[in-house]
Amino acid sequence: MAALCVVISAISFYALRTVIEAKDLVISDYAHNLLRVRDLEITSEQEISSSRAYLLTRDPDFETKALRSRREFSDATATLRAQIPESERGLIDRVIRAEKSHREAMELAIKEAGGDRDPQSLSQYFEQMVMPKRDELRVAFRALIHTQERQLE
């Protein structure tokens, strides 16, 4: 009887250890995904700030930085999309669409600034056309981050 208790205890200990290791692995994956999402948000912010700086200064270095950030954003979204569960891919797709919409609005603002548009008119254009797209991107990121954070609870 004692031998049976030892065997049952050993099996229970092994099962518990296996469950704990599996849980730790899942938590680790979700933590890494959350970090990747945060890095993606930073990359997006870098692209936005470089594009705005280019809009204001026409310094080609800022345009180069914006283009580099766009490539990094594209690469990062492709990697992240492959690593998150299919049920969450709609959220990353929403971020991708919002980023594209913002980028296109910013490109139009840059084009408009290249003409004879006065600064006040350009400012109004920026507020009406670009800022709402920025807000949509922010909301899309918040939804994705919230979902990733919930996975860690």
Side-chain angles (χ1 to χ4, degrees), residues 27-95:
I27 290 171
S28 176
D29 286 347
Y30 281 122
H32 282 110
N33 285 345
L34 178 58
L35 290 174
R36 287 183 192 104
V37 170
R38 293 287 188 175
D39 286 344
L40 183 64
E41 186 178 32
I42 290 169
T43 300
S44 174
E45 292 293 338
Q46 289 169 336
E47 188 272 329
I48 290 167
S49 65
S50 295
S51 293
R52 285 183 182 175
Y54 180 70
L55 173 68
L56 295 172
T57 66
R58 295 299 177 170
D59 183 338
D61 288 342
F62 289 119
E63 183 179 33
T64 301
K65 288 177 184 178
L67 291 171
R68 183 176 50 243
S69 293
R70 284 181 197 140
R71 282 191 302 274
E72 290 173 9
F73 182 89
S74 179
D75 293 345
T77 54
T79 300
L80 185 61
R81 194 171 191 292
Q83 293 172 340
I84 62 174
E86 190 163 335
S87 62
E88 297 170 20
R89 289 188 186 147
L91 294 170
I92 190 75
D93 291 342
R94 180 179 172 196
V95 167

Side-chain angles (χ1 to χ4, degrees), residues 40 44 73 77 81 88-105 132-134 136-138 140-141:
L40 183 64
S44 174
F73 182 89
T77 54
R81 194 171 191 292
E88 297 170 20
R89 289 188 186 147
L91 294 170
I92 190 75
D93 291 342
R94 180 179 172 196
V95 167
I96 292 167
R97 286 190 307 272
E99 185 278 334
K100 181 181 181 203
S101 180
H102 176 269
R103 180 174 23 91
E104 289 171 349
K133 303 298 182 186
R134 174 64 187 105
E136 289 173 17
L137 180 58
R138 185 175 289 126
F141 266 115

